[in-house]
Amino acid sequence: MSNIKQLSGAIRFALFAGAASVLAAPAFAQNSGQQEEAKTLDRVQVTGSLIRSASVETTQPVLVITREEIQKTGLNNVFEVLNNITASDGSGLSTVTTQTNGSDGSQQISLRGLGADRTLVLVDGKRWASDIDGTVDLSTIPLAIIERIDVLKDGASAIYGSDAIAGVVNLITRKDYEGAQASAYYGQNSKGDGTRTAFDVTIGASGERSSAVIAASYSDQDPVFARDREISRWPYFGCEQAQAALPGNSACGSAFGQYGPYVVPGFGTVVLNPNANLADGITPADYVPFNNLFRYNFSPVNYLQQPAKRSNLFGYGRFDITDNVSAFVRTSYTKRTSVQQLAEVPATINASGVNGPQWAFGAAANNIYNPFGVAVNQINYRMSPLGPRRPQYDYDIFSVQAGLEGNFELGERFFNWELTAQRNDGQYDRRGTGYVNLFNLRNALGPSGYDTATGQLYCGTSFATRIPGCVPFNIFGGPTLGLGAPIPGAPAGRVITAADVRAMLNYVGYVQVATQGNTSVNYNGLLTGDLFELPGGMSGFAVGFEYRKDDVFSQPDTLVASGGSSDNFSEPTKGFVEVKEYFAEFTLPLLRDVVAAKELELSFAARKSDYSAAGVIGINNVTSDPGSPLTRKIGIRWKPLDQLLVRASYGETFRAPSVFDLYRGGGESFPQATDPCRAVNPNVGGSGYQTTDPAIIANCNAAGVVNGAPQPNRQIRSLIGGNPNLKPEQGENFTAGLVWSPEFIDNFDISLDYWRIRLTDAMATVAAGTTLQRCYNPAAPGYDPAAYCPLVTRVSNGQIAQINITQQNLSSTDTSGVDLGIAYRYDFGDFGAIRTKFDTTYIRKAEVKALASSPAGDATGFYDGSPNWEWRHNLTTDWTKGDWTVTWTARAVSRLEDIGGCFLSICSSGDPAVGNFLGFTTYHDLAASWAAPWDARIQVGARNIFGKEPPLTATTFAHSFDAAYDLPGGPFWYMSYRQNF
């Protein structure tokens, strides 16, 4: 029996034994003598307010996830903990590659369907190091240092500043730990891949006037290949191998294949016959007409889950200078490495330039390997001999925070103060293999020959005028580059050898090197304390200032930036954004212990921000004025009864543009779009317009299109860059809800909150298709040919060569919903205790308008490349008896309609006209742990214990399912050991 099967069997036995114990426990009445836990009256600072208070209840809903709760889940990283809460929309980036083929392994959290850049991430109330695009990579925060996680499910720009639109995640670290603890974790998919290991050590000590905590951790995640799951081994699920004679092909694959095609004058669109005998020489007779059976199946090469490693060192120290003044320092260093693997480079050669100027060349008629004797100016060849593209990421993130804090009394009033300085540094290096030097490939496909005197291959019209170092490249030789085929013009018996193939690949292939980095500094001061007595108690205040500056640079690979790489062209980025802010917050306890008002408190907050920015656009230095927003917040907290809390808040929010938003260097992208001027036959220009709209035809004619433009590929080259004229997004948040703990049911709590987020001037990219419509179609919303037509570039036959795209302050969003939380604990006496928590989020609407004149579109209940669930539920039940704990969790999401329709077997009804539905999906997790007498805890468990497969979708970027769902292929089994010393 294999070790994998032994591990799975042992864990299954332990889990179901624990589950049986839960089911066998009889229901005894609760111990009536149980007393409520004592409540501390210490003044503390809670997430959502800067005022220190004895009350931990705020006017805004805060989800608290304790360290104990995290350990019961069996999850071993911050991202998975947060991605599983019901407020998460599941669209944040992860190491699962269904969302993008360029992921660097970052992990992000997105709340309320508004994106990771609208969710603020804090560590101990301070901003964490962000990536160059302004988002936070959660993999840089080790779970071992977390004491608890607070999730403020409301906007809070008046409290924390920019980005706190959808909510705030505040990760509270361990500071007062004494002793030592070590833990180890091992987990594996039931398929035997995707293995995860993690180790951490925490040591804490304290003296009379000082304390310190040091934690070190390491984690390692192995890859999962797309070829190893049925759902992802083909470009689309159900579109299997074309035929046995063409291994590696798929009718739904890429038109850039290992055998071509080549568009050859006089021969048409042809591919090299895979069964051709190359030993007798490659001739036109070895080529056959191209059809979909020759499409390349790129999926098996790709990762489904990326490998990633992370090492982290965290330290916190505190020293009491006097009884009222303390100094503290907090530092963290993270080293993260990850790898992405993509299918081999598709050589998109087209001399017309429609695939970018870097690809504007062809194979010369007198190239030694050209069997056709004419110039071939359109080649769709998969560079499989070079191997897959493998960008490797090496990230170093350092953060240090130091400060002074203290307290004093003045006139029988108590005050706290804090001065803090913080610096975050990120260095992001990338090294990639499997890429093509296009300058060299252009040379290698030009005129070439064989010099019989020296026995050398050369590039150029003669050996005397040869290009030094150049090696002719046999792009017509299929996946082996013609290995074993005779070299034209060489003596008999001189064939293409393995050494020749290596020389070809060494010449055109190269190692890509790029680097990025950012530095942020933050200085802030805070004074909080008592103001004056009111009927409800002492009023409180907090005032302060904050200064932040983010410096960002991105230096692409030299060949990428110069247009000589097979990778997407990209320009450098350099700039900074700085802000000066002043803020104030007040609480006014109006009533206490009167009829219908056990407590009544109002709160107010305001923050004034002044932004400035500068950067480089092309070769020009540019300054920007991102704005000076003023945000305000008002809240009410009312307890008509001791057991009932009613709360509501209204606030203004904003998100300032990042350096990347303002000054991002232009980069290539290939979105799908339809040219309004497209010809009836998209492969042949001038064959007549597909459209019959005379206004569109007139605009196309004015653009130089004659009787329809060719568009053989639905992907159109676009260049995306920053916009230095962006202004902050403005928003409004409203929440209202209640928390009820009825006295007639002990240990029972229920919370219900309605929330609404409205956002205007949202920074959004005008899509390529939208740009084309606003240029050519007078009936399109936002039609403005003067603004949009200059963004479209065409070549001489009318085909689109490029569309320039940038972000603008355009769209508005209006989303609302309800959060429900129920918690109950029941004590069975000698048979243990059960604790149940139920959380659910209902999305009432998620409307987006591209322009003020555009109709609102509600995404709720639809899948449009990311899930827009109407409902998301979590139900967790713990049974604890003595040293044993068994935890069962059910995670469920509602049904979605795939707006992309269906493809082949994806259609749930079998009728393509009906479309595809992602069904209601429930995952079950089970874990059991035992507290050993030697002060250790052992846990075994499984995520998705019943092996529920993710629903199929045709609209996701790749792999036919979305990363918001669990990986396919059965349960994930794990075990952990934690030892206290």
Side-chain angles (χ1 to χ4, degrees):
M1 182 180 293
S2 69
N3 292 333
I4 296 171
K5 292 182 178 178
Q6 290 176 359
L7 171 65
S8 299
I11 294 177
R12 286 189 181 97
F13 176 79
L15 288 173
F16 286 110
S21 301
V22 174
L23 297 175
F28 280 81
Q30 181 184 2
N31 184 351
S32 60
Q34 182 181 8
Q35 300 295 321
E36 293 184 359
E37 295 180 0
K39 295 181 179 179
T40 179
L41 297 180
D42 293 340
R43 293 171 180 261
V44 296
Q45 187 170 309
V46 297
T47 301
S49 176
L50 299 176
I51 300 174
R52 291 180 178 267
S53 170
S55 174
V56 296
E57 297 171 338
T58 69
T59 62
Q60 298 167 286
V62 178
L63 171 67
V64 178
I65 309 172
T66 66
R67 182 175 180 82
E68 180 185 16
E69 290 174 325
I70 293 171
Q71 290 173 344
K72 289 179 179 179
T73 66
L75 299 172
N76 73 334
N77 63 71
V78 172
F79 165 77
E80 289 185 337
V81 172
L82 290 172
N83 201 46
N84 279 317
I85 67 174
T86 60
S88 167
D89 55 60
S91 67
L93 287 180
S94 70
T95 55
V96 180
T97 61
T98 66
Q99 296 166 315
T100 172
N101 67 355
S103 172
D104 61 359
S106 297
Q107 297 177 324
Q108 302 171 354
I109 182 64
S110 172
L111 303 178
R112 309 300 197 198
L114 294 177
D117 50 4
R118 298 187 181 102
T119 300
L120 179 62
V121 177
L122 309 173
V123 175
D124 292 327
K126 300 295 188 293
R127 291 172 180 261
W128 189 247
S130 63
D131 288 345
I132 65 169
D133 62 356
T135 60
V136 170
D137 178 7
L138 296 174
S139 71
T140 63
I141 308 172
L143 199 60
I145 69 170
I146 303 302
E147 182 63 32
R148 75 172 194 274
I149 301 176
D150 294 348
V151 181
L152 175 63
K153 297 188 285 187
D154 192 15
S157 290
I159 305 298
Y160 297 112
S162 176
D163 308 333
I165 291 177
V168 178
V169 175
N170 191 11
L171 299 112
I172 310 301
T173 63
R174 308 175 77 178
K175 306 180 192 66
D176 301 320
Y177 177 72
E178 290 192 57
Q181 184 181 89
S183 65
Y185 176 99
Y186 179 84
Q188 190 178 81
N189 293 314
S190 60
K191 296 282 188 179
D193 54 13
T195 300
R196 296 186 188 182
T197 54
F199 308 93
D200 63 75
V201 177
T202 304
I203 301 173
S206 62
E208 185 177 346
R209 305 188 68 86
S210 62
S211 62
V213 176
I214 297 176
S217 60
Y218 171 82
S219 66
D220 186 359
Q221 173 181 283
D222 287 346
V224 176
F225 282 92
R227 62 175 176 259
D228 293 328
R229 297 294 186 272
E230 183 181 2
I231 196 174
S232 55
R233 62 173 56 117
W234 305 103
Y236 296 94
F237 179 77
C239 190
E240 299 184 0
Q241 185 168 311
Q243 58 187 31
L246 297 174
N249 283 18
S250 167
C252 303
S254 170
F256 297 84
Q258 302 177 85
Y259 301 94
Y262 313 87
V263 180
V264 185
F267 294 87
T269 303
V270 296
V271 295
L272 178 65
N273 186 344
N275 299 316
N277 180 15
L278 304 186
D280 59 358
I282 303 176
T283 69
D286 292 316
Y287 292 82
V288 295
F290 171 78
N291 61 60
N292 283 338
L293 296 182
F294 288 97
R295 288 180 174 268
Y296 178 61
N297 179 17
F298 49 80
S299 292
V301 181
N302 295 344
Y303 284 141
L304 191 61
Q305 176 178 274
Q306 295 173 253
K309 297 180 180 180
R310 178 188 52 77
S311 301
N312 179 272
L313 184 63
F314 171 84
Y316 173 83
R318 180 184 180 88
F319 178 74
D320 296 333
I321 301 172
T322 70
D323 291 341
N324 302 103
V325 178
S326 300
F328 64 90
V329 62
R330 179 185 295 105
T331 184
S332 176
Y333 169 72
T334 299
K335 159 77 78 173
R336 178 171 71 78
T337 59
S338 57
V339 180
Q340 179 62 283
Q341 181 163 298
L342 309 172
E344 305 88 345
V345 167
T348 58
I349 296 169
N350 195 312
S352 70
V354 295
N355 293 327
Q358 66 271 41
W359 292 100
F361 58 92
N366 55 346
N367 179 275
I368 190 172
Y369 293 122
N370 185 345
F372 298 103
V374 296
V376 181
N377 290 325
Q378 183 175 340
I379 300 173
N380 295 356
Y381 175 73
R382 182 70 56 169
M383 300 288 289
S384 56
L386 198 58
R389 290 165 285 176
R390 284 181 57 85
Q392 302 172 48
Y393 304 92
D394 188 346
Y395 287 5
D396 295 272
I397 298 94
F398 176 75
S399 176
V400 61
Q401 180 187 127
L404 296 171
E405 61 181 13
N407 59 74
F408 61 91
E409 288 188 68
L410 183 64
E412 298 184 352
R413 286 169 172 76
F414 191 82
F415 300 88
N416 292 88
W417 60 271
E418 180 181 302
L419 292 171
T420 306
Q422 181 177 359
R423 179 184 175 97
N424 299 323
D425 282 296
Q427 179 68 37
Y428 314 108
D429 297 321
R430 167 177 162 164
R431 182 180 185 275
T433 58
Y435 295 92
V436 178
N437 181 326
L438 296 184
F439 296 140
N440 287 358
L441 182 61
R442 182 191 297 257
N443 291 336
L445 294 183
S448 57
Y450 181 87
D451 183 61
T452 55
T454 61
Q456 293 183 40
L457 290 157
Y458 64 87
C459 303
T461 55
S462 70
F463 185 72
T465 60
R466 66 190 180 278
I467 300 172
C470 179
V471 178
F473 188 81
N474 187 11
I475 203 168
F476 299 96
T480 68
L481 300 182
L483 179 66
I487 297 177
R494 177 64 169 97
V495 298
I496 299 174
T497 65
D500 293 325
V501 171
R502 284 195 299 271
M504 293 183 207
L505 297 177
N506 289 340
Y507 181 66
V508 302
Y510 85 104
V511 176
Q512 187 183 95
V513 178
T515 184
Q516 299 174 330
N518 64 340
T519 298
S520 62
V521 294
N522 190 331
Y523 306 102
N524 59 73
L526 175 67
L527 175 65
T528 178
D530 301 330
L531 277 178
F532 44 80
E533 193 75 33
L534 288 173
M538 184 65 71
S539 60
F541 79 97
V543 295
F545 71 91
E546 186 169 0
Y547 169 82
R548 297 193 307 275
K549 183 179 181 181
D550 295 319
D551 277 286
V552 170
F553 78 91
S554 175
Q555 182 57 55
D557 174 79
T558 302
L559 282 178
V560 169
S562 61
S565 172
S566 60
D567 204 5
N568 290 350
F569 167 77
S570 179
E571 298 173 328
T573 298
K574 184 175 177 58
F576 73 84
V577 173
E578 66 178 348
V579 59
K580 303 178 184 69
E581 297 183 306
Y582 303 92
F583 54 85
E585 182 183 0
F586 302 93
T587 58
L588 302 175
L590 302 180
L591 297 173
R592 181 181 293 272
D593 295 327
V594 298
V595 176
K598 291 295 182 181
E599 292 183 30
L600 179 62
E601 179 182 276
L602 294 179
S603 64
F604 305 90
R607 178 177 289 248
K608 175 64 176 177
S609 305
D610 185 11
Y611 280 86
S612 60
V616 178
I617 298 291
I619 60 173
N620 300 315
N621 293 319
V622 178
T623 59
S624 302
D625 180 12
S628 302
L630 172 65
T631 53
R632 290 151 290 203
K633 169 189 167 292
I634 182 172
I636 183 171
R637 187 170 66 88
W638 172 43
K639 296 185 77 171
L641 305 169
D642 285 331
Q643 302 82 25
L644 180 62
L645 168 67
V646 180
R647 60 193 178 194
S649 69
Y650 168 82
E652 299 166 323
T653 59
F654 76 98
R655 179 172 77 93
S658 68
V659 174
F660 220 53
D661 295 326
L662 294 167
Y663 308 117
R664 176 186 177 185
E668 272 185 320
S669 179
F670 293 87
Q672 290 193 357
T674 299
D675 184 0
C677 305
R678 192 180 188 192
V680 173
N681 183 346
N683 292 309
V684 181
S687 59
Y689 287 103
Q690 282 195 5
T691 182
T692 58
D693 189 320
I696 296 177
I697 292 174
N699 286 337
C700 294
N701 291 338
V705 178
V706 179
N707 211 22
Q711 190 191 352
N713 195 329
R714 295 297 297 271
Q715 288 183 299
I716 298 178
R717 181 179 186 265
S718 300
L719 200 64
I720 302 176
N723 180 358
N725 299 313
L726 286 172
K727 301 298 181 183
E729 300 175 338
Q730 305 286 343
E732 297 176 342
N733 290 62
F734 173 74
T735 63
L738 56 86
V739 180
W740 183 37
S741 304
E743 60 181 1
F744 54 86
I745 307 178
D746 291 333
N747 300 314
F748 177 83
D749 299 285
I750 183 171
S751 64
L752 184 67
D753 291 283
Y754 168 81
W755 52 269
R756 184 179 184 184
I757 303 170
R758 290 188 292 182
L759 189 63
T760 58
D761 294 329
M763 288 176 268
T765 299
V766 180
T770 304
T771 298
L772 291 171
Q773 289 295 318
R774 292 177 182 175
C775 170
Y776 298 105
N777 186 0
Y783 172 69
D784 189 350
Y788 290 97
C789 287
L791 304 178
V792 182
T793 303
R794 296 179 181 271
V795 293
S796 58
N797 66 353
Q799 186 172 347
I800 296 175
Q802 178 177 301
I803 300 175
N804 290 331
I805 296 176
T806 186
Q807 284 203 97
Q808 300 182 34
N809 293 104
L810 288 176
S811 64
S812 64
T813 298
D814 189 351
T815 182
S816 62
V818 175
D819 292 329
L820 172 67
I822 300 174
Y824 179 58
R825 185 179 185 277
Y826 196 83
D827 193 342
F828 293 100
D830 292 340
F831 291 88
I834 282 185
R835 183 180 67 96
T836 297
K837 288 184 66 177
F838 176 72
D839 290 300
T840 190
T841 293
Y842 163 68
I843 305 296
R844 177 175 168 268
K845 66 176 180 179
E847 293 182 348
V848 177
K849 296 178 67 175
L851 295 168
S853 59
S854 303
D858 189 354
T860 306
F862 293 93
Y863 184 85
D864 56 4
S866 60
N868 297 281
W869 296 304
E870 186 176 13
W871 293 93
R872 187 169 189 179
H873 316 284
N874 282 343
L875 174 63
T876 301
T877 300
D878 296 336
W879 171 74
T880 303
K881 182 181 185 300
D883 297 329
W884 287 93
T885 299
V886 178
T887 302
W888 166 67
T889 300
R891 301 172 282 124
V893 292
S894 59
R895 190 180 86 149
L896 296 171
E897 182 177 353
D898 192 342
I899 65 171
C902 59
F903 194 93
L904 299 177
S905 60
I906 292 180
C907 289
S908 55
S909 67
D911 180 0
V914 175
N916 178 50
F917 293 92
L918 287 66
F920 187 96
T921 304
T922 303
Y923 296 108
H924 296 272
D925 310 326
L926 193 60
S929 67
W930 173 56
W934 54 88
D935 205 9
R937 180 166 288 275
I938 303 169
Q939 184 184 49
V940 294
R943 302 273 297 172
N944 186 18
I945 193 169
F946 298 121
K948 178 73 173 181
E949 291 291 299
L952 297 163
T953 171
T955 309
T956 189
F957 172 81
H959 304 319
S960 300
F961 77 98
D962 192 271
Y965 296 87
D966 283 20
L967 277 176
F972 180 85
W973 303 91
Y974 63 87
M975 60 194 316
S976 66
Y977 180 87
R978 187 169 67 254
Q979 178 70 58
N980 296 304
F981 300 95

